[in-house]
Every structure is written in structure tokens, then in C-alpha cells.
Amino acid sequence: MTLTLRSSTSFINLKDTKSFKTADEVVGSICYAQIKPTFSLVAKSSVQASHVLEHHSLIKVGSLAEKWEKLHPLSGPHDGSNSSKVPVFVMLPLDTVTHGGNLNKPRAMNASLMALKSAGVEGVMVDAWWGLVEKDGPLRYNWEGYAELVQMVKHHGLKIQVVMSFHQCGGNVGDSCSIPLPPWVLEEISKDPDLVYTDRSGRRNPEYISLGCDSMPVLRGRTPIQVYSDFMRSFRDRFSDDLGDVIVQEVQVGMGPCGELRYPSYPEGNGAWRFPGIGEFQCYDKYMRASLRAAAEEAGNPDWGIDGPQDSGEYNQFPEDTGFFRREGTWNTEYGQFFLEWYSSILLQHGENILEAAEGIFQGTGAKLSGKVAGIHWHYKTRSHAAELTAGYYNTRNRDGYLPIAQMFAKHGVVLNFTCMEMRDGEQPENAGCSPEGLVQQVKMATQAAGTELAGENALERYDPAAYGQVLATSTSASGSGLSAFTYLRLNKRLFEEENWRHMVEFVRNMSEGGKNRELAESDTQGSDLYIGFVNEKNIEKTKEILLV
């Protein structure tokens, strides 16, 4: 038996006019053998419209004579009985909640959650966009679409990670829709363009509010930190009954572009940057300039505060093309060290301000906090680590830039979530000086030394065994420096294609068993717990359908 659902990476603007079947009508067609799962796939009628399948769902009952493919035994809830297991979460589409504040395509979402549950994943992750929730005006919050999602996730016996997303959606790798900052915030930015990060050429980046004005009452009488705090407090109050229950693994606190603690030094959306450029420093709004001047005067060198580095090059240059980042460049002089220390320290202070507020707001709720750090692996093999420096990570051949970040996270009991877990050095272009494996190892060592947990994500959409194998290799460690959780990017139609889904199911199983690398069997001769019928690959390609278990 197979269930199929037509969908796409984005749920927005899909019409819903045809008839549909309920999940209760479907469940009788599922074929079990030696059933031992600890949960039920039956969708209860207590949750109304969200528990019916998308009208495009096609029911196909396979005969016993058909060829069967094996789906490995379902994993039970993660109860801590196996300390080496790594729970897997799956990121939901960026537009899971519509611009109107409603849950997008609830029938499709319900069916997808059923599939994920059958695969043994721990839960899902969703962005709670500032630009959607507080869209209608200061302190006017609309959580209804997220509330519906939380209840649906809870009904399926899954957990949910919620990201406090204070950045815009659109303009970065993988962004499939546009969700700007709240309109009333954009109005303030139009009055004072220096509220957003600015590069040396004067280009403004509206993705995130500049940390230079963190303590300034520039948002209708509130500081950005106060606005973020009020947002998180509203979330806590609205979901007080779910925190520590379905919302238990992580509340991820956004601290910059893409939700990451960094500067927008490599903006892909406006065409300024392309991989593997070194990026540019983002310290040219008036608030950042004022901070730099104050730091230079305190250091006894006021001339250092007149402007940022003059020899740091442009977005798409390489380190050796610049005076600042080359092998024996300005980065390693007294001035360079002063500037990089200032640039990185105020980013660290920005993160501390937000995490300190979050810690106080969520204390006693049972929810675990996390923060995200970007995996900037290009030019990692050079002395200056130029791309990391422009992003605000003072990490060079002579200095560990991730230990101070890990220590700050540990101070507030926050999990450090890191990207590029799926990447291998040998997959990268030789001229870019990449080492994602070396970078991940450095961050693992930093979190272990600081005493904070490390969680991971894949940076790019990958469906191949090599990527899954790399995550498995990183997820566990005899020294105890493995991953506390892994979040897979992202739920979309490609994930449910026959071969991709098989790889995903096996990956989840391996993670639940502590990283054991077992091959997926091709038939049911071993007597597995749950089977799905053979899906014709040509038919999948023809109809562009998503396979749902």
C-alpha cells in the first residue's frame, strides 16, 4: 500500500477545491507484519480539519503478490535509555504559517507529520517569524497558526523546536519565500536607514536590525532587545501549557541573519556576494561607527576609530587579494587585532544580551534554549580565516574564536547549534581553502571544553548516503563530544521520493542506535515491523507526487 500526496517545498498559493479522504479512511489500508510499534498511526477525530489528508492524496492498495520494500522497525520515544542515541528533527517549510497568520495547508501538513512519525523522527522545527507574528503593530501578536501546528504535532506524538526568528526570510541560500521584518519596523528603518547593517560602500541590509542600536529606544520607544524580549514573553505566555511537553527539546533564539549569531557579511540575495568570496565587514551604520570610535578612544588610539579597515577588499575577493587578510596582512598587526577584537566582542555581547533575556523568560518552563552559529568553512585553511572574520568570528590560525562563543552559551545553559554537519573536505573546491570537517571538529572541541551541548544541522539540502554518513560520523564520539540532537533541512517533496525516503528512514534508525551504519535491506525476508508497497519510480516522476507512509 502507498499513500501519495502532491505538494511542494512551499505550501503558499496552492488551491484546495477537490474532495479528500480522511486519515481514518486511509488507516485500514496500511499493511503490518509482526507489529510492535509503541504508538498508533490512527488519526483521532478529536482534531478536526487538520486531521484529514490533502485532497490530492491517492490511495493505492498493493496486493500480496506485489514487490515489497522494507521499512525498518519503528523507533519508540526517546526516553534516555540509550545515551548514545541522537534524536532527529525535520525543519518544516519556511511558509508553514501564511502571511495571514494561518497554518498553511493543514491537510498536507497532517499527512506529512504522519509520515515523519512512522519514520521514527523525534519531531519538527518551525520558524516563528517576527514579521508574521507582530505584523499588525507593536505588541500585537498573532500566534494562532502556530498554535494549530503545535496541537497537530502533539496529536501525532511528536516534539517541536520553535525558532524565535527575528530576521527576514528571503535572500539567503534555500530561502523559498519572502517574509520581511514587521511593516511598522520597516517604517522606522525608512526614517532611519542606519538601523540596519551597512557595508563600506553604503549598501544597507534589511535582513536584521543592527546590533549597534541594541540599547537605543529606536523601535517606537523600545530597544531591539526589549522588542525581542516582549516577543519571547508573549510566546511563553501563549504556549505555557506546551512548554516542557511538546515544546521541550529546543526554543532556538535568533541572534542575527538566518537566525545565526553573526553579521550579514555574505549577502547572497542582493547579488553582492557569491561563494567563496571573503565577504565584507558590516560596521558602517552610524551606531556601529559610534561604538568603534568609543572603543578606539578607550584604547588610546582615537585614529583607529575614524573608519573600518581600508584594505579589507570586496565581497568576492580572496584573502591574498587584500592587504588585510593576506598571509602577513593587517589582521595580524596591533591595529588589526584591536579592530577584530572590537568587531567580534560586540557581536558576542549582542548574543549575551539576548540569551540573558531569554534565560530569564523561559526559566522554569522546562524548555531547553539553543542558539545557532554559522558553519563558515571556506578559507578555513588560510591563516587569517577571512570569511569567518568578516562574519564576526575572530578565529585565526593563532586564535580560537569559537571557545568564547561556546563559553557564553554555557553560561546561560544554551545548546550551541552548528551547521555544515553533512559536508566533507573532499567535496569542496580546491581553490577555496575549505575544511568543514576541521571546522566542525574545532567547534566540537570548543563546546566540550566549555561544557555546553552541541546540536547540528545540515547547511544544504542533501539526500545522498554520503551526506547522511558524514552526519553519523559526527553525531557520536567516544569522548562524549557528539551531538545532543540533529535537525534535518528540510521537509519538501524531494524528501518523499522513493530512494530519498529510504535513505532518510535508515538514517533516522542509525541515529537512534547511536550511529551504527546498517545497510537498508531490499526485501521483507527479515520480517520487518512495517512495510510499504513498491512505488513505481516512473509514476512518481510523472505525477510529481510525494510518498507518504
Side-chain angles (χ1 to χ4, degrees):
M1 188 283 301
T2 62
L3 300 182
T4 55
L5 171 67
R6 295 184 178 90
S7 184
S8 69
T9 303
S10 170
F11 289 153
I12 282 181
N13 294 329
L14 298 179
K15 295 184 179 180
D16 184 11
T17 58
K18 298 183 180 179
S19 62
F20 51 81
K21 289 184 177 291
T22 67
D24 294 88
E25 291 176 299
V26 170
V27 76
S29 299
I30 297 180
C31 177
Y32 292 89
Q34 301 180 9
I35 300 176
K36 293 180 286 187
T38 57
F39 57 87
S40 171
L41 293 180
V42 178
K44 305 300 183 182
S45 59
S46 58
V47 180
Q48 302 296 325
S50 64
H51 283 188
V52 280
L53 291 176
E54 166 65 24
H55 68 276
H56 282 144
S57 296
L58 304 177
I59 314 304
K60 300 180 182 178
V61 181
S63 69
L64 294 178
E66 286 182 313
K67 177 179 178 181
W68 292 95
E69 289 193 358
K70 178 177 178 181
L71 183 64
H72 281 287
L74 303 177
S75 303
H78 295 281
D79 55 8
S81 58
N82 180 0
S83 59
S84 64
K85 70 174 57 175
V86 180
V88 175
F89 292 77
V90 176
M91 296 184 196
L92 296 180
L94 295 168
D95 57 1
T96 292
V97 172
T98 69
H99 286 279
N102 302 311
L103 180 61
N104 211 348
K105 289 294 179 183
R107 301 176 187 84
M109 179 60 68
N110 180 65
S112 298
L113 294 177
M114 290 176 66
L116 294 176
K117 179 63 175 178
S118 74
V121 304
E122 184 80 358
V124 295
M125 171 183 276
V126 67
D127 289 277
W129 295 106
W130 182 26
L132 296 181
V133 175
E134 201 176 356
K135 180 180 69 172
D136 295 333
L139 301 172
R140 296 175 61 186
Y141 305 104
N142 178 8
W143 295 105
E144 296 315 302
Y146 294 98
E148 185 177 356
L149 174 65
V150 168
Q151 291 309 305
M152 187 181 292
V153 168
K154 185 176 183 179
H155 180 82
H156 284 286
L158 295 167
K159 304 298 183 183
I160 187 168
Q161 300 171 324
V162 183
V163 185
M164 305 286 101
S165 294
F166 301 118
H167 61 286
Q168 78 168 16
C169 175
N172 288 291
V173 175
D175 285 354
S176 58
C177 64
S178 176
I179 303 174
L181 301 185
W184 60 273
V185 174
L186 295 179
E187 288 181 16
E188 298 305 313
I189 294 173
S190 67
K191 299 174 186 175
D192 183 2
D194 285 290
L195 292 180
V196 297
Y197 288 117
T198 307
D199 65 19
R200 189 175 59 179
S201 300
R203 282 172 289 203
R204 311 286 188 178
N205 189 319
E207 186 175 354
Y208 188 79
I209 299 294
S210 169
L211 63 79
C213 55
D214 270 356
S215 60
M216 308 288 184
V218 294
L219 298 178
R220 305 275 178 98
R222 291 184 295 164
T223 70
I225 299 297
Q226 288 174 333
V227 171
Y228 305 150
S229 299
D230 290 339
F231 183 95
M232 291 188 286
R233 194 174 294 109
S234 172
F235 171 79
R236 179 203 63 189
D237 295 344
R238 178 62 179 82
F239 295 96
S240 58
D241 293 337
D242 301 301
L243 288 166
D245 180 18
V246 62
I247 308 173
V248 65
Q249 184 68 24
E250 288 182 25
V251 173
Q252 189 174 112
V253 183
M255 293 177 281
C258 294
E260 298 164 337
L261 179 62
R262 65 171 177 87
Y263 295 102
S265 57
Y266 49 99
E268 187 178 43
N270 62 10
W273 175 88
R274 64 181 181 274
F275 178 84
I278 58 176
E280 290 190 19
F281 292 116
Q282 305 291 309
C283 57
Y284 294 92
D285 63 77
K286 67 182 181 183
Y287 301 102
M288 293 285 283
R289 285 176 179 271
S291 174
L292 177 59
R293 284 195 299 270
E297 290 175 1
E298 185 176 351
N301 289 284
D303 288 346
W304 288 353
I306 295 176
D307 208 350
Q310 300 299 303
D311 57 351
S312 57
E314 298 178 351
Y315 284 108
N316 295 310
Q317 289 186 297
F318 276 52
E320 292 304 314
D321 297 333
T322 74
F324 193 89
F325 297 115
R326 65 189 181 190
R327 183 182 178 90
E328 300 296 340
T330 310
W331 65 274
N332 206 25
T333 65
E334 185 179 2
Y335 162 73
Q337 292 169 2
F338 157 78
F339 175 81
L340 293 171
E341 181 65 37
W342 165 79
Y343 190 68
S344 62
S345 66
I346 60 173
L347 178 67
L348 199 66
Q349 185 61 52
H350 171 71
E352 173 129 32
N353 292 340
I354 297 179
L355 292 182
E356 184 177 29
E359 182 184 19
I361 291 167
F362 290 104
Q363 187 173 13
T365 64
K368 183 182 292 186
L369 297 179
S370 72
K372 190 174 178 182
V373 175
I376 303 175
H377 58 84
W378 53 103
H379 304 302
Y380 183 84
K381 293 181 180 179
T382 65
R383 289 197 173 192
S384 65
H385 293 232
E388 293 164 86
L389 296 185
T390 57
Y393 304 151
Y394 192 0
N395 189 56
T396 68
R397 183 74 58 86
N398 310 319
R399 188 181 191 278
D400 186 348
Y402 297 100
L403 181 58
I405 297 174
Q407 290 171 332
M408 187 267 286
F409 276 48
K411 176 181 176 181
H412 299 287
V414 175
V415 177
L416 194 156
N417 194 304
F418 197 69
T419 62
C420 75
M421 292 290 176
E422 84 285 9
M423 294 183 174
R424 296 182 179 183
D425 290 3
E427 300 170 338
Q428 312 305 319
E430 294 184 5
N431 68 334
C434 299
S435 183
E437 293 180 66
L439 176 58
V440 168
Q441 184 60 31
Q442 181 182 354
V443 172
K444 288 180 70 174
M445 293 175 63
T447 54
Q448 187 176 21
T452 191
E453 293 182 47
L454 175 66
E457 297 179 3
N458 50 312
L460 303 174
E461 292 183 7
R462 294 279 295 271
Y463 309 93
D464 56 289
Y468 286 131
Q470 183 64 22
V471 175
L472 286 167
T474 305
S475 65
T476 57
S477 172
S479 64
S481 58
L483 302 182
S484 62
F486 179 79
T487 304
Y488 176 80
L489 182 156
R490 168 181 318 272
L491 180 69
N492 58 32
K493 65 181 180 181
R494 287 196 63 191
L495 177 61
F496 291 107
E497 291 176 2
E498 178 189 1
E499 198 67 18
N500 293 342
W501 183 247
R502 283 165 48 84
H503 292 154
M504 178 65 175
V505 170
E506 181 63 9
F507 169 68
V508 173
R509 178 178 175 82
N510 285 333
M511 294 287 272
S512 72
E513 295 180 347
K516 297 177 182 178
N517 191 9
R518 297 175 51 178
E519 293 184 0
L520 186 63
E522 295 182 355
S523 69
D524 64 351
T525 56
Q526 301 297 318
S528 63
D529 290 342
L530 176 63
Y531 303 90
I532 57 176
F534 176 77
V535 181
N536 187 284
E537 184 174 352
K538 182 178 180 181
N539 186 52
I540 293 177
E541 181 66 23
K542 179 180 179 181
T543 61
K544 297 182 180 179
E545 295 167 339
I546 294 179
L547 173 67
L548 292 179
V549 181

